[in-house]
Amino acid sequence: MERLNSKLYVENCYIMKENERLRKKAELLNQENQQLLFQLKQKLSKTKNPNGSNNDNNLCSSSSGSGQS
Amino acid sequence: MAMAVANHRESNDNINRHLDSSGKYVRYTTEQVEALERVYSECPKPTSLRRQQLIRECPILAHIEPKQIKVWFQNRRCRDKQRKEASRLQSVNRKLSAMNKLLMEENDRLQKQVSQLVCENGYMKQQLTTVVTNASCDSVDANPQHSLRDANSPAGLLAIAEETLAEFLSKATGTAVDWVQMPGMKPGPDSVGIFAISQRRNGVAARACGLVSLEPMKIVEILKDRPSWFRDCRSLEVFTMFPAGNGGTIELLYMQTYAPTTLAPARDFWTLRYTTSLDNGSFVVCERSLSGSGAGPTPSSAAQFVRAEMLPSGYLIRPCDGGGSIIHIVDHINLEGWSVPDVLRPLYESSKVVAQKMTIAALRYIRQIAHETNGEVSYGLGRQPAVLRTFSQRLSSGFNDAVNGFNDDGWSIMHCNGAEDIIVAVNSTKHLNNISTSLSFLGGVLCAKASMLLQNVPPAVLIRFLREHRSEWADFNVDAYSAATLKAGGFAYPGMRPTRFTGSQIIMPLGHTIENEEMLEVVRLEGHSLVQEDAFVSRDVHLLQICTGIDENAVGACSELVFAPINEMFPDDAPLIPSGFRVIPIDAKTSNGQDLLAINHRTLDLTSSLDVGSAPENAATASNPSSRSILTIAFQFPFENNLQDNVANMACQYVRSVISSVQRVAMAVSPSGLNPSFGSKLSLGSPEAVTLALWICQSYNRHLGSDLLRTDSLGGDSLLRQLLDHQDAILCCSLKPQPVFMFANQAGLDMLETTLVALQDITLEKIFDESGRKALCPDFAKLMQQGFACLPSGMCVSTMGRHVSYEQAISWKVFAESEDNINSNIHCLAFLFVNWSFI
């Protein structure tokens, strides 16, 4: 029984470390995603307005000005 | 039991058999075992004497050798220990397994999350490298995380709703927020995990989970009616509602919540609420704020509300076998704490506060309803629990209305008294629509309110004291006045009903919540008419009162005492104009996400019985010794037409006196006793004390022509020091109708056997007995007339009752000396007791 408990405890610790690692990775990926999205949007607006006017690049904006009437 | 244990080990297991006289193993008979067990239960470790006695007295055990008895007890004790150890290991095992399961689930989720992110990542990279056409433009918009959210169309709202659902679920049963167990919660079947302000998001969050014996639909109904259980909720309006596929609904809501103190404005929310059911039979109600201004307060109150944000929160209700349900509640809000005064900020950035006010409150309320529905509640004075609850809600909301004083309720501010920051607001009756129309003769209601900081006073202790010792702070005549003014007809002018109050109160409980965090009661203030003819007519005044947060098990919650005068029959629709106190503790350190993460990863919340590593430390109670709280007082006074100004003055004075009484009480109940929050400003070395010392000496000189102290140096500190060390007792008392001492030198404190802090409780009268007071009278008159008086030798009494004799006493008026010595104001009276000693 004691052995079982110790084993469980060790396993828990291991999983926690693993979770932490995954969390960090998710964070990193998310940041990367945000950046990529930003780049995408910029690219989008550039191709729409080749004269290079400054569009709203707010990532959370609900209107991207993409030609909607 | 004894028979069931296997007997293969001779030496260790002689609990079932013993060696008899012939050297063979013989079983203990059942009677023998019974007898032994009986003794064991009383005395597990009997001495040899006791054992001998046992053999002698108990015929059944007569033929057993004493040694065998000894061995039996030894083994019995050993067995107990083994059993305990086994059950301990089992419980540890259970906890570890539960933890394990949770961690595995989390792990699963994280892996899924990471893989999804990787997928999106790849997709976007791909997009970037291809030529962008209109077609791909649309597909970018379809990116799940940043989809166009058009809050103007049902389709857009539905998209938001689905997103909200997903985010809420990830918080409710997952680890989208790093949950930490709430400190101070008793371990039990519920888990209230709270807080961590996670690094990416703003706001604070609390989560609770519990089992309730109510049907899911009923729970959904109750929880959606937020004003019924959320005391801080002033109103909740549904602006639109439309169906949302598979039986769900989407609603747009505008909610207003009260501010808890007078120091910061109230908050309001504009939210979308999505109600739906999941495939596994659970019901979900989730909610989040929408951007944009949406609905708002009426223009007259616009300045009194700050828009706050609700991040995806909600309720997950899973039906259980047997009719109950498991509820998960998540509250995640951002109260815009950056805009409130520094001292209040911890209140607006604390998950604990959110947990107590919303999350735990909701769970408790549901439990309470479940309890009542199952018929387990006793009725107080024949009233149904629902009726009692209405009273309690009305008292609460009436008090909150007073503290907040919204313009659209009809309140307008009369004036702010700068000195103690007492705000006086007035409301004319035509706006008091929550009070019955029988009060049309009333001119209106006046409210005097204030908020202040208290240190080192446990809220529960203070409120308990105020409740139990009403006479220490209240003037029952004021309560009588309010009660009389409210009585229908208004022909009874309070002034014509002189009443003498005995100062005692009788508390009659009406009911309480099952977890005892709130009590409803009726308080009777005994009064007798002073009018001779009416001597036998009782002039008792009744108050309906709720008291919350004084239960010993209250987890650092806010404590309140709210009362309102009421007719002794207390009809269900009686008009209630509540007044009261609210004390909210402020955590000295706001819970820091980093700290709590660190705690969580020591994994000791669930496995506290395993002594691995250091004990779990609580970041919130770290090194800060002094605890702070905010006290908010609001008193309401109904007034008849034409009496507004009179009542306003009375109100101000009354609240001022209540405040100083409360401060006095606070100092008395403060555990350290040495930390005066507002008290004596005349602590040694303070500039006020130095100035006072100067004035005392100057005034003495002026009146009596000689110097009080040997040196005439007006060097601040040294003068004060000499005064304090002077061998004669020097005391100063204020110039009120009841003169109270406010300063004493060391000799004075010794003479009265008191401390500087407790000095303010002592009136001039108190230190003299009957004869002393009589003797004082003419001298006092002389003192007031000519500015000083010399009293002959006499006696006074210390606070401990010891008699003191003095050779001579001198008293003089102390002036707050101004430059020209002509336009001075009298500050206080000074007394010098020469050559005093205890008798």
Side-chain angles (χ1 to χ4, degrees):
Chain A
M1 181 60 99
E2 285 163 9
R3 251 180 294 127
L4 181 58
N5 284 357
S6 311
K7 179 163 114 31
L8 271 174
Y9 177 72
V10 165
E11 194 176 325
N12 283 0
C13 290
Y14 178 82
I15 300 182
M16 274 195 310
K17 283 206 167 55
E18 177 69 20
N19 284 1
E20 191 53 42
R21 188 186 67 84
L22 283 171
R23 255 191 284 265
K24 289 203 174 78
K25 187 161 185 196
E27 175 72 46
L28 219 66
L29 280 171
N30 201 25
Q31 276 178 8
E32 213 180 303
N33 275 14
Q34 306 268 30
Q35 277 180 338
L36 284 171
L37 186 68
F38 181 78
Q39 286 176 13
L40 259 174
K41 292 223 160 145
Q42 264 189 330
K43 199 167 180 190
L44 255 156
S45 58
K46 271 206 208 117
T47 43
K48 287 288 153 26
N49 294 318
N51 48 359
S53 66
N54 191 11
N55 276 349
D56 181 14
N57 282 321
N58 186 344
L59 290 179
C60 298
S61 156
S62 58
S63 61
S64 64
S66 53
Q68 283 187 351
S69 49
Chain B
M1 180 178 66
M3 312 293 191
V5 178
N7 293 339
H8 32 250
R9 283 175 295 147
E10 301 174 8
S11 45
N12 292 347
D13 208 19
N14 285 341
I15 204 166
N16 297 313
R17 52 200 187 140
H18 63 286
L19 290 169
D20 72 356
S21 43
S22 61
K24 283 196 297 189
Y25 276 112
V26 170
R27 269 184 186 285
Y28 286 109
T29 66
T30 2
E31 300 94 60
Q32 288 172 331
V33 171
E34 261 176 30
L36 287 166
E37 287 285 348
R38 231 178 293 135
V39 179
Y40 181 86
S41 62
E42 280 174 4
C43 175
K45 203 167 177 179
T47 60
S48 71
L49 220 64
R50 181 87 182 79
R51 293 196 297 268
Q52 287 171 16
Q53 186 189 27
L54 175 63
I55 299 182
R56 264 180 281 129
E57 288 174 359
C58 200
I60 326 172
L61 303 172
H63 299 298
I64 309 179
E65 264 195 285
K67 183 158 183 281
Q68 305 292 337
I69 301 288
K70 177 167 116 172
V71 167
W72 188 91
F73 274 94
Q74 278 173 353
N75 290 328
R76 185 69 180 77
R77 289 194 293 270
C78 185
R79 198 212 290 189
D80 252 6
K81 226 186 286 182
Q82 284 169 348
R83 280 202 193 131
K84 277 208 181 85
E85 183 61 28
S87 86
R88 187 188 72 90
L89 281 177
Q90 263 188 357
S91 89
V92 165
N93 186 285
R94 270 194 303 254
K95 287 182 188 159
L96 280 174
S97 308
M99 183 76 168
N100 192 285
K101 184 155 168 269
L102 271 172
L103 285 172
M104 299 273 267
E105 282 175 2
E106 184 186 335
N107 194 285
D108 225 17
R109 229 178 310 274
L110 281 170
Q111 284 184 353
K112 285 205 184 85
Q113 189 181 14
V114 166
S115 59
Q116 191 199 14
L117 281 171
V118 166
C119 186
E120 283 170 21
N121 214 302
Y123 177 86
M124 287 205 280
K125 282 194 182 133
Q126 191 193 34
Q127 288 299 309
L128 272 175
T129 56
T130 61
V131 177
V132 176
T133 63
N134 275 343
S136 26
C137 177
D138 291 325
S139 52
V140 166
D141 293 342
N143 182 321
Q145 279 202 315
H146 303 284
S147 54
L148 283 181
R149 295 196 243 110
D150 179 7
N152 293 324
S153 77
L157 286 175
L158 184 59
I160 301 181
E162 289 293 338
E163 222 181 77
T164 312
L165 176 64
E167 287 193 50
F168 159 64
L169 286 175
S170 73
K171 289 181 203 168
T173 52
T175 51
V177 177
D178 300 297
W179 300 107
V180 175
Q181 192 77 7
M182 176 151 159
M185 285 296 290
K186 288 179 295 188
D190 315 317
S191 83
V192 183
I194 39 174
F195 15 173
I197 303 170
S198 109
Q199 289 96 327
R200 274 186 302 164
R201 304 156 202 235
N202 44 11
V204 286
R207 163 172 94 168
C209 162
L211 176 61
V212 180
S213 44
L214 273 183
E215 292 260 285
M217 284 316 292
K218 182 88 178 97
I219 297 180
V220 167
E221 195 189 307
I222 297 174
L223 286 174
K224 286 176 84 163
D225 181 17
R226 205 175 258 132
S228 68
W229 57 263
F230 184 21
R231 287 290 166 90
D232 280 358
C233 177
R234 181 190 185 216
S235 69
L236 180 68
E237 289 172 60
V238 179
F239 267 76
T240 3
M241 178 164 83
F242 54 87
N246 86 332
T249 50
I250 291 185
E251 299 160 287
L252 295 182
L253 311 172
Y254 175 62
M255 172 170 77
Q256 293 181 335
T257 57
Y258 292 109
T261 70
T262 59
L263 302 171
R267 261 70 184 145
D268 65 3
F269 300 81
W270 168 243
T271 59
L272 173 149
R273 182 163 73 185
Y274 180 34
T275 313
T276 185
S277 53
L278 299 179
D279 293 334
N280 60 8
S282 314
F283 297 90
V284 175
V285 179
C286 58
E287 192 174 346
R288 61 106 57 90
S289 283
L290 290 174
S291 57
S293 56
T298 59
S300 58
S301 298
Q304 295 181 301
F305 289 96
V306 167
R307 183 55 54 90
E309 185 190 357
M310 183 183 297
L311 295 101
S313 313
Y315 317 108
L316 170 66
I317 303 157
R318 211 179 354 223
C320 294
D321 307 324
S325 323
I326 296 184
I327 319 181
H328 294 260
I329 305 179
V330 173
D331 290 306
H332 189 173
I333 49 179
N334 178 351
L335 290 167
E336 307 293 339
W338 55 270
S339 63
V340 309
D342 279 338
V343 67
L344 273 190
R345 194 154 309 139
L347 272 187
Y348 286 73
E349 292 177 350
S350 155
S351 310
K352 201 166 170 202
V353 168
V354 168
Q356 277 152 0
K357 290 262 146 153
M358 296 179 75
T359 326
I360 303 182
L363 197 55
R364 274 202 189 125
Y365 184 78
I366 304 227
R367 286 236 166 83
Q368 181 76 25
I369 303 284
H371 224 229
E372 288 169 16
T373 318
N374 299 336
E376 292 160 30
V377 175
S378 58
Y379 294 179
L381 290 183
R383 298 301 168 101
Q384 292 211 339
V387 172
L388 296 181
R389 196 178 20 260
T390 316
F391 274 129
S392 144
Q393 281 165 343
R394 284 176 58 202
L395 278 175
S396 248
S397 67
F399 180 65
N400 271 322
D401 280 331
V403 170
N404 282 258
F406 294 117
N407 295 339
D408 60 15
D409 272 343
W411 291 99
S412 54
I413 300 208
M414 270 181 72
H415 55 85
C416 282
N417 184 318
E420 283 116 352
D421 294 318
I422 299 180
I423 305 171
V424 179
V426 67
N427 195 340
S428 61
T429 354
K430 51 182 177 302
H431 296 285
L432 295 171
N433 47 14
N434 59 334
I435 300 181
S436 61
T437 51
S438 63
L439 298 179
S440 46
F441 60 88
L442 270 191
V445 173
L446 213 87
C447 172
K449 54 191 173 176
S451 287
M452 61 205 75
L453 185 65
L454 292 179
Q455 304 211 62
N456 268 350
V457 185
V461 173
L462 179 61
I463 293 290
R464 203 178 301 140
F465 189 95
L466 293 176
R467 169 177 175 261
E468 289 166 11
H469 303 274
R470 197 186 170 85
S471 49
E472 290 287 329
W473 58 268
D475 181 350
F476 293 3
N477 283 304
V478 174
D479 294 312
Y481 161 76
S482 295
T485 314
L486 274 184
K487 280 216 171 92
F491 52 78
Y493 287 102
M496 291 167 67
R497 273 215 197 158
T499 314
R500 180 181 62 87
F501 285 101
T502 61
S504 65
Q505 60 169 342
I506 296 178
I507 300 184
M508 301 177 287
L510 282 181
H512 59 88
T513 54
I514 44 176
E515 289 180 34
N516 281 319
E517 79 276 0
E518 180 179 285
M519 302 184 292
L520 180 69
E521 54 207 12
V522 172
V523 176
R524 187 171 86 208
L525 308 172
E526 292 185 321
H528 304 288
S529 172
L530 287 173
V531 175
Q532 207 54 4
E533 302 84 57
D534 293 342
F536 298 113
V537 176
S538 124
R539 293 265 182 260
D540 292 346
V541 171
H542 291 86
L543 306 170
L544 187 65
Q545 173 168 286
I546 50 172
C547 185
T548 59
I550 65 169
D551 186 50
E552 279 93 42
N553 303 323
V555 189
C558 108
S559 308
E560 289 182 4
L561 186 70
V562 176
F563 54 89
I566 194 170
N567 187 301
E568 58 197 73
M569 291 292 108
F570 52 103
D572 289 353
D573 61 349
L576 291 177
I577 302 188
S579 310
F581 308 88
R582 169 183 287 154
V583 186
I584 316 176
I586 306 181
D587 287 333
K589 236 165 56 157
T590 49
S591 306
N592 188 328
Q594 291 354 67
D595 292 346
L596 292 165
L597 273 180
I599 295 176
N600 199 14
H601 290 175
R602 273 188 248 162
T603 196
L604 294 173
D605 297 89
L606 293 189
T607 59
S608 48
S609 59
L610 268 184
D611 284 332
V612 182
S614 55
E617 276 181 293
N618 192 331
T621 59
S623 52
N624 207 320
S626 89
S627 59
R628 303 180 344 149
S629 10
I630 300 272
L631 166 68
T632 301
I633 299 184
F635 277 69
Q636 297 194 79
F637 306 88
F639 60 88
E640 289 159 9
N641 287 313
N642 312 324
L643 289 182
Q644 180 171 317
D645 287 325
N646 289 351
V647 176
N649 280 332
M650 185 266 283
C652 255
Q653 279 183 15
Y654 184 54
V655 171
R656 217 172 281 145
S657 85
V658 168
I659 290 178
S660 62
S661 303
V662 171
Q663 284 166 1
R664 201 168 31 93
V665 167
M667 279 200 285
V669 303
S670 142
S672 64
L674 293 171
N675 192 353
S677 48
F678 283 81
S680 166
K681 292 199 204 124
L682 300 177
S683 48
L684 312 179
S686 72
E688 287 95 346
V690 172
T691 321
L692 181 60
L694 183 62
W695 291 342
I696 292 176
C697 295
Q698 284 180 342
S699 301
Y700 185 92
N701 200 325
R702 185 156 38 132
H703 293 297
L704 292 115
S706 56
D707 288 327
L708 177 61
L709 301 174
R710 247 157 289 135
T711 62
D712 206 21
S713 64
L714 298 177
D717 250 356
S718 67
L719 199 73
L720 174 62
R721 199 141 311 182
Q722 279 198 23
L723 198 70
L724 292 173
D725 294 340
H726 200 271
Q727 62 179 4
D728 295 325
I730 301 176
L731 300 135
C732 290
C733 68
S734 58
L735 269 177
K736 298 210 185 106
Q738 269 288 34
V740 180
F741 285 111
M742 23 86 88
F743 173 82
N745 68 349
Q746 192 53 50
L749 291 177
D750 292 338
M751 183 178 89
L752 292 184
E753 296 190 285
T754 184
T755 61
L756 199 59
V757 164
L759 198 61
Q760 297 171 28
D761 279 341
I762 309 175
T763 62
L764 182 59
E765 273 192 353
K766 251 196 246 183
I767 70 169
F768 291 104
D769 59 7
E770 276 294 319
S771 51
R773 265 178 243 148
K774 279 208 203 100
L776 185 60
C777 270
D779 294 318
F780 203 79
K782 214 192 302 179
L783 164 66
M784 297 313 290
Q785 197 185 31
Q786 66 185 22
F788 71 97
C790 295
L791 290 69
S793 67
M795 285 217 311
C796 61
V797 180
S798 78
T799 58
M800 298 290 166
R802 279 218 271 180
H803 289 275
V804 178
S805 75
Y806 51 87
E807 238 177 57
Q808 194 195 17
I810 307 178
S811 66
W812 65 103
K813 288 185 186 173
V814 174
F815 287 95
E817 304 276 342
S818 59
E819 283 306 307
D820 51 12
N821 271 4
I822 299 177
N823 295 330
S824 313
N825 301 321
I826 181 164
H827 179 72
C828 62
L829 299 173
F831 288 82
L832 172 73
F833 294 92
V834 182
N835 243 341
W836 64 272
S837 61
F838 289 110
I839 297 183

